[in-house]
Amino acid sequence: MLPEFELLMPRTLSEALEMLTQAREGVAPIAGGTNLVVDMRGGRHRPSVLVNVAGLEELRGIRRENGHVVIGATTTVAELLEEPLIAEAAPVLWSAARVFANPLVRNRATVGGNLADASPAADTAPPLLVLDAEVQLTSKEGSRWVPLDEFFLGVRQTLRQPDELLTAIRFPVPPSGAVGGFYKLGLRKADAISVASVAVVVEVGEDGTCRKARIAMGAVAPRPIRAYEAEKLLEGRVLTPELVAEAAHLCAEATSPIDDIRASAAYRKHVVEVLARRLLSEERR
Amino acid sequence: MPERFVGRSVPRVDARAKATGEALFPGDFSMPGMLHAKILFAGRPHARVLHIDTAEAEAVPGVVAILTAKDVPVNEYGLQIPDQPVLCGPGSSKPGADVVRFVGDQVAVVVAETEEAAARARDLIRVEYEDLPVITDPFEALKPDAPQIHEYRQPSEIHPEIRTEGNLICHHQIRKGDVDGAWSQCDVIVEGQYRTPPQEHAYLQPEAGLAYIDEEGRVTVVVGGQWTWEDQHQIAHALDLPPEKVRVVYPAVGGAFGGREDMSVQIVLALAAWKLRRPVKIVWSREESIIGHCKRHPMWFRCKWGATRDGKLVAAEVQVVADGGAYCYTTNKVLGNVTVTCTGPYEIPNVKVDVDGVYTNNPPSGAFRGFGAPQAIFAAEMQMNKLAEALGMDPVELRMRNLLREGSLTAMGTPIPGGVGLVEVTEQCALAAGWRRTEEGWRKPEAGGKRQGAGSEATRKRGIGIAVAFKNVGFSFGYQENCWARVELRGGAEIEEAILYIGTADVGQGSHTVLRQMAADALGVDLERVRLEVADTATSPNSSGSVSASRMTFMAGNAIRGAAAKALERWRAEDRPAIGEHTYLAPKTTPFDPETGYGTPNFAYGYVAQAVEVEVDTETGQVHVLRVVCADDVGKAVNPRLVEGQIEGGVAQAVGWATMENFIVQEGRVLTDRLSTYLIPTALDVPERVESIIVENPDPRGPWGARGMGEMPFIPLAPALVAAVHDATGVWFDELPLTPERVVRKIAG
């Protein structure tokens, strides 16, 4: 059963920020609640005050702004799927949204919540990492933009301070030559936590060389991670099968997975390499 | 008897109520002045309860009572033998009841004005335990110096054949012909070892119920179950009440699959309501449900089978060890079925089988769709598919040369009951799946190893496999199978209303719809005139038996025919109302001969064949089931759409068992106690194509020729699927489930 807590219902963003500042220890913002409520029922998280930000207009919507795609933090995963801008500009994120949990959870879970919860297996994280996304952290004192890659510190740990709210996510609109994909391996076809996931975006020039490569992986380290060495290897070179295989191997090298009831560390490493190779091979064609 | 409704896909009697949400399930009932109960589970696999301190818990505002072992009049229960305490703790009326033997043993029941108060108080109960050695490996448990999980128990009056000995719950054996002397006649011998995993029923509705004292002073339990009469008698035994002081009512039941045959909330709810004289409600969470009820038996098989060059089976030797968990439940009967089915639906002259059921400190194993046959048929059909490979013979051809036919002798040395549909289901399944019958015999379609995609990157391979199964219909091994029904006809010149009283449960499979169809035809009245009064011991005081063993259509149909004939006779004699009551007795069966296994354990069987097509991703290990063809001899499809529903549901459940359901228990503790860690198939995981082939080869004793079928579509799927994966990859998998990791490891060697 849910433990007791106080539920605050701010009407505006500034009210919400005020509440986060005022509340003592144990305050948590809540939007979709698809992680938080489960954690509270299971006794893993016992906030005494919840600030419900789900209804705040300021945190909603997806828009194009100064060469960026900006996603309000309480945009639901289902809304990512419905928004043509995401399908056009960031198919890698759209693909991740499509295999995210199940339709009921997609209707409630928010992008901001998925990132702020900082599960190593959060499915929106790898695609947003390869899109060079930043998150906006806002407190009463003001706002700061932080690269998503720096935002994640460890398992369920982020740069967000208790009086801050994750208010938006943005990424530069990728150039038209950028292509990418996302693949998640779960133990069934829907409603399963990732055993491992990989997101890839590459920009290939007309001469066939790779101008820019971004690869990110989920559920294979304490936090969603980039494969820097593999990216470096690919940039400036032609994506031959041999090079792709080598890069995929470097992806696996970059991981530090754990054994758990879903899979062994060895299997996760193996699968990351397979998925990275397949995604990069698809982009080569 | 003209068939006006039997054979037609009439709508289900509960379709509208379930579609609109009007149907009430046990957790939906409430009453004024109702109390709420929570159970304190042991949470440890083996320990003696030294002391229970409830002082702090009782001080929680709203707490009305906390019941422990000393409050249970007769502190024992069990479907086969009463080896489980209702509540574990000191001061009990029965010896050994102070020991918890698995994590789901119940220690205390807290009853309070609110659910919250009950939960808070439950968490404040202080229990002092003395931990005892934990045994989780049945092979360890069988060693002579292993710690004993149960004290010595005198054989019970009801089941004198169960003589538990140390940690051995039961042993069955078959000695037919001379196996040791037969190996020299074999051209090919295949040896295999197999392991099948536990399975959680994962029914939609976790255990729940409401108990109250009714207007006639009976303690009444509204609950989901499979056998009202048996629940009533087990509650009465523990409460030391005459059965007529106990009433059991089943409303809509959210699935059962065998998992509701044994008690869960029934006795404690009745106890609380009887003591407190107030209505008491309980609803288990999914975690409580998964901890609190039995699982499919995990089993270990060691098999050695031999055949001649031309594919005639000569000898089969099988040893089976099954983990029965902490209590007997139906282990003795499940393992009886394993004994019957572990050499497959084949005529084999020399058979040697040894089957042991063992107590451990794991969650109890019990009834689950197929009742031992899925495990046993997995081993048998793996052996057959490997034999076909070793002989270089088509797997259908090999089966055709050995299947049981009319008059064939079973492993028990007696003829199989008449109406044997094995050849027919195998032929129809094989043809639909693409096999061809040629002059040289049966030929498999060319799916094997076929790569999808192009070039060296093609890592998705397809394959096809087949398996055949049989399983008993109805209760076995000398139990006098019986089913009671009563028909009451009202009206003047013509029958205006026919009321069918019967103690059967509809657990979602649609049995009430089928009973109504059979009653209408037995009486020659329109469907709309038949009203059902079912699943309430107040109106159906006699036993109609459990809705299990694929028996309800067969048994209830015969009971209804008998009751209808008698009621019509009274009608013609101008009784108003005209009443007919009948208890159908099935043909007698016998227990196994203890030395040879000789006997007639069953009076009817169901027959099924399945072909499975898969695509295997050889790099990630993912197995996708593309297509399943299922030919099921149901004797007569009373309602064809419901038969298809059972086939599709059985296939989905078996795909789960074979490919993903991974119930993990470590040192007696369940690590997968929720549906986010114990994964069952979603709509996307169910094969896109499930082709149901309904074969109607009448059972000579079945009503309108019907035989049972609810369990059959589950049984051959796993070995057919593994054969398909072998066809695709060349690798055999002897252990389930085929998780991606297991598949990759084995393919990599």
Side-chain angles (χ1 to χ4, degrees), chain B residues 443-742:
Chain B
R443 284 283 170 273
K444 191 171 78 65
E446 291 303 321
K450 198 168 78 183
R451 285 155 184 253
Q452 301 302 302
S456 59
E457 285 164 32
T459 54
R460 295 181 179 88
K461 296 184 180 175
R462 290 193 175 188
I464 189 167
I466 196 164
V468 185
F470 74 141
K471 187 206 166 279
N472 62 296
V473 171
F475 294 161
S476 318
F477 314 120
Y479 178 93
Q480 176 55 64
E481 210 1 341
N482 66 91
C483 182
W484 173 91
R486 170 189 163 107
V487 169
E488 197 175 304
L489 304 176
R490 294 184 180 171
E494 61 173 296
I495 299 170
E496 284 159 21
E497 187 181 41
I499 309 169
L500 171 64
Y501 295 91
I502 192 158
T504 59
D506 190 325
V507 293
Q509 84 283 42
S511 60
H512 288 164
T513 305
V514 166
L515 302 191
R516 192 161 173 244
Q517 287 175 260
M518 294 194 293
D521 277 1
L523 291 163
V525 301
D526 282 345
L527 205 56
E528 293 68 35
R529 305 230 165 170
V530 181
R531 183 157 68 83
L532 299 173
E533 282 288 342
V534 287
D536 181 345
T537 59
T539 52
S540 297
N542 296 307
S543 176
S544 302
S546 173
V547 56
S548 63
S550 301
R551 65 185 285 285
M552 205 38 97
T553 301
F554 187 107
M555 294 300 296
N558 280 321
I560 288 167
R561 280 164 64 135
K566 289 177 186 172
L568 286 174
E569 199 182 305
R570 297 315 309 160
W571 179 266
R572 286 188 291 271
E574 307 215 334
D575 279 8
R576 296 293 182 274
I579 294 169
E581 228 179 276
H582 184 68
T583 297
Y584 169 70
L585 299 178
K588 284 195 189 313
T589 60
T590 68
F592 297 118
D593 176 276
E595 295 304 318
T596 64
Y598 182 89
T600 308
N602 296 301
F603 59 85
Y605 289 88
Y607 308 103
V608 59
Q610 277 178 359
V612 176
E613 270 185 66
V614 298
E615 184 176 284
V616 183
D617 186 323
T618 55
E619 282 189 315
T620 63
Q622 290 163 296
V623 175
H624 305 293
V625 183
L626 303 172
R627 178 188 182 211
V628 175
V629 178
C630 177
D632 193 339
D633 180 4
V634 303
K636 170 78 188 177
V638 178
N639 187 316
R641 191 172 299 142
L642 289 179
V643 168
E644 286 171 12
Q646 287 300 296
I647 291 175
E648 290 167 12
V651 163
Q653 202 168 34
V655 164
W657 185 56
T659 65
M660 73 175 71
E661 296 188 29
N662 201 7
F663 192 73
I664 305 175
V665 185
Q666 216 168 56
E667 283 302 296
R669 291 171 195 273
V670 178
L671 302 187
T672 48
D673 66 347
R674 52 199 66 205
L675 294 179
S676 58
T677 47
Y678 184 80
L679 301 186
I680 61 173
T682 67
L684 291 181
D685 300 287
V686 173
E688 271 178 41
R689 292 168 66 193
V690 179
E691 293 158 43
S692 302
I693 301 171
I694 298 174
V695 178
E696 295 185 314
N697 168 40
D699 187 289
R701 300 176 200 85
W704 291 272
R707 64 176 87 237
M709 62 79 54
E711 297 166 289
M712 308 312 157
F714 187 109
I715 302 171
L717 187 120
L721 185 144
V722 171
V725 173
H726 175 263
D727 190 37
T729 65
V731 178
W732 287 113
F733 290 86
D734 297 334
E735 203 172 320
L736 302 175
L738 268 61
T739 56
E741 181 158 4
R742 175 168 284 149

Side-chain angles (χ1 to χ4, degrees), chain A residues 15-254:
Chain A
E15 248 182 60
L17 298 173
E18 184 63 34
M19 287 166 177
L20 287 177
T21 310
Q22 294 293 318
R24 301 163 313 278
E25 289 286 286
V27 63
I30 181 166
T34 54
N35 278 325
L36 187 57
V37 173
V38 176
D39 283 352
M40 287 169 68
R41 279 188 203 281
R44 291 179 295 278
H45 197 153
R46 295 185 176 279
S48 49
V49 180
L50 294 184
V51 178
N52 182 11
V53 300
L56 301 181
E57 268 311 307
E58 296 98 317
L59 305 187
R60 303 198 58 79
I62 301 171
R63 58 192 182 276
R64 193 189 278 258
E65 201 175 273
N66 300 331
H68 281 78
V69 174
V70 182
I71 301 171
T74 61
T75 300
T76 65
V77 175
E79 284 163 351
L80 291 181
L81 289 172
E82 289 156 13
E83 173 54 56
L85 180 56
I86 298 297
E88 287 160 22
V92 62
L93 179 59
W94 189 89
S95 304
R98 206 164 61 95
V99 294
F100 188 102
N102 62 52
L104 299 177
V105 171
R106 292 200 285 270
N107 285 340
R108 283 203 66 82
T110 64
V111 181
N114 192 232
L115 298 176
D117 186 61
S119 158
D123 282 335
T124 64
L128 286 167
L129 281 172
V130 298
L131 289 165
D132 288 330
E134 298 171 293
V135 295
Q136 184 187 41
L137 297 174
T138 307
S139 73
K140 247 181 79 180
E141 309 305 320
S143 275
R144 55 175 176 149
W145 283 100
V146 178
L148 183 59
D149 201 14
E150 291 169 24
F151 175 70
F152 294 123
L153 299 178
V155 179
R156 310 236 155 182
Q157 286 176 316
T158 68
L159 277 179
R160 188 182 72 83
Q161 298 302 306
D163 66 340
E164 284 181 314
L165 196 60
L166 197 165
T167 41
I169 301 100
R170 72 176 180 194
F171 55 84
V173 176
S176 56
V179 286
F182 174 83
Y183 197 91
K184 158 181 175 173
L185 191 135
L187 294 179
R188 67 181 169 196
K189 290 181 186 166
D191 206 11
I193 296 173
S194 289
V195 163
S197 67
V198 181
V200 166
V201 168
V202 290
E203 292 170 35
V204 179
E206 281 181 9
D207 60 352
T209 58
C210 172
R211 295 214 179 116
K212 181 177 173 185
R214 288 286 181 275
I215 305 170
M217 302 171 287
V220 288
R223 43 154 287 183
I225 54 167
R226 291 253 306 269
Y228 297 111
E229 295 298 318
E231 293 173 1
K232 231 181 289 171
L233 179 74
L234 297 172
E235 282 174 356
R237 300 175 70 178
V238 177
L239 302 184
T240 62
E242 295 71 26
L243 187 70
V244 161
E246 199 183 330
H249 186 68
L250 288 177
C251 288
E253 296 277 289

